[in-house]
Amino acid sequence: MEPINEGIRVAVVGVGLVGSTFAYTLMLSGIASELVLIDISRDKAEGDAMDLNHSQAFAKPMRIWAGNYADTASADVIVIAAGANQKPGETRIDLAHKNTGIFRSIIGEIMKHNPKGIILVATNPVDILTYVTIKISGLPSNRVLGSGTIIDTARFRYLLGRCANVDARSVHAYIIGEHGDSEIPVWSLVSVGGMHIEEFAQLSGCPYVAQRDQIFADVRDAAYHIIEKKGATYYAIAAGLQRIVEAILRDEHSVMSVSTLLNDFHGISGICLGVPCVISRSGIDRVIELPLNHTELAGLRNSAEVLRGIISGIGL
Ligand code: NAD
């Protein structure tokens, strides 16, 4: 079905597990009025559009259809979750190569129709593909962002909240760097109820010191554990994508750890990494340069080197 009125339009490219779960989350939120689904499998996009449309009697009205790249023309935000997952025995460089190839055609198509929107990348390796998107599109770097460590930060806050017996939303904490094995927990800035977590733990008796290492291991390895049990992760990342899109469309100026092109972040430039950013209608409004301790800074520099290695491997 073609849209009749111009509204707030979100396009999703790649409606597999992540893309379709995000589409469902967005539909339930009611923040956008138009949602176009694009997939190399037209049947999948059409089936999802039908299924989502059948929920409309229980949600807010929205135009949802299986479309093509011309439909991205007036999209305010384009979310990309197309591409392959890492297969057993495949390296991250192999995956980066494969998905860079897919992105060359997707970004080329989007840029033909919409050189003004905001692109949000979820496909892995997300920091690399955010960088690839900026390079191929030529868009200003504030208009291209990746989900980065938003999901790792959410896992961190959930586990810290469980340890401190408070709501995850009452925990302020960040995972920064690569969305992957070299990511870094910023322990020096974890706070609960306005107190550093160590002080909170002393006052409340929460087992933070004993559980600290395990908490980070559980954050870093969460995707492996979930994939082992059910083959893929999609609910939490879909909710994270939804929050980023909401912050953009509502010009919220919310702080979230997303992947952005760094420009002298503690001396690191020219690669995309997850760091706290202020998200607004312009995409990345600004990057927040957290004060990091020596260990955290060394971890971030290591993460940057890991990503530089992958980028030089794909030879953009
Ligand atoms: P999936 O296989 O279920 O879906 C991928 C979809 O992309 C499929 O529907 C496929 O048809 C489509 N597709 C492939 N090539 C395309 C093309 N050229 N144009 C349009 N569509 C195309 O995979 P998934 O589980 O939804 O994961 C998607 C991506 O998201 C993967 O790279 C995965 O690693 C990543 N992911 C990222 C995070 C994160 O935190 N950033 C979390 C989970 C998954």
Side-chain angles (χ1 to χ4, degrees), residues 92-93 96 125 128 178 305-315:
R92 268 186 292 174
I93 295 185
I128 302 293
E178 178 196 15
E305 285 319 303
V306 168
L307 289 174
R308 274 192 217 289
I310 301 178
I311 286 171
S312 66
I314 57 173

Side-chain angles (χ1 to χ4, degrees), residues 16-18 39-40 81-85 102 122-124 147 151 179 233 237:
L17 290 167
V18 172
D39 199 286
I40 201 166
N85 267 313
I102 292 174
T123 305
N124 277 323
S147 54
I151 181 73
H179 167 59
T233 73
I237 184 59

Side-chain angles (χ1 to χ4, degrees), residues 1-3 10 12 15 35-53 63-72:
M1 178 180 76
E2 285 303 310
V10 175
V12 185
V15 281
L35 173 60
V36 56
L37 309 177
I38 300 168
D39 199 286
I40 201 166
S41 163
R42 180 79 190 181
D43 276 350
K44 176 69 168 91
E46 285 180 356
D48 273 336
M50 289 167 74
D51 201 1
L52 288 166
N53 275 322
R63 298 180 194 287
I64 305 173
W65 72 104
N68 52 45
Y69 287 98
D71 295 315
T72 64

Side-chain angles (χ1 to χ4, degrees), residues 119-198:
I119 300 181
L120 170 58
V121 177
T123 305
N124 277 323
V126 67
D127 302 293
I128 302 293
L129 290 164
T130 305
Y131 177 85
V132 164
T133 301
I134 292 169
K135 291 290 156 194
I136 296 175
S137 68
L139 283 169
S141 59
N142 64 301
R143 298 232 302 274
V144 178
L145 62 162
S147 54
T149 50
I150 195 166
I151 181 73
D152 314 85
T153 289
R155 289 169 177 150
F156 196 37
R157 291 172 69 196
Y158 162 70
L159 291 171
L160 286 165
R162 208 173 59 171
C163 170
N165 197 21
V166 299
D167 176 354
R169 294 171 303 177
S170 302
V171 177
H172 287 276
Y174 291 100
I175 299 285
I176 60 170
E178 178 196 15
H179 167 59
D181 299 340
S182 72
E183 66 191 28
I184 305 105
V186 185
W187 289 116
S188 65
L189 298 175
V190 175
S191 73
V192 179
M195 276 176 273
H196 188 267
I197 182 110
E198 278 176 18

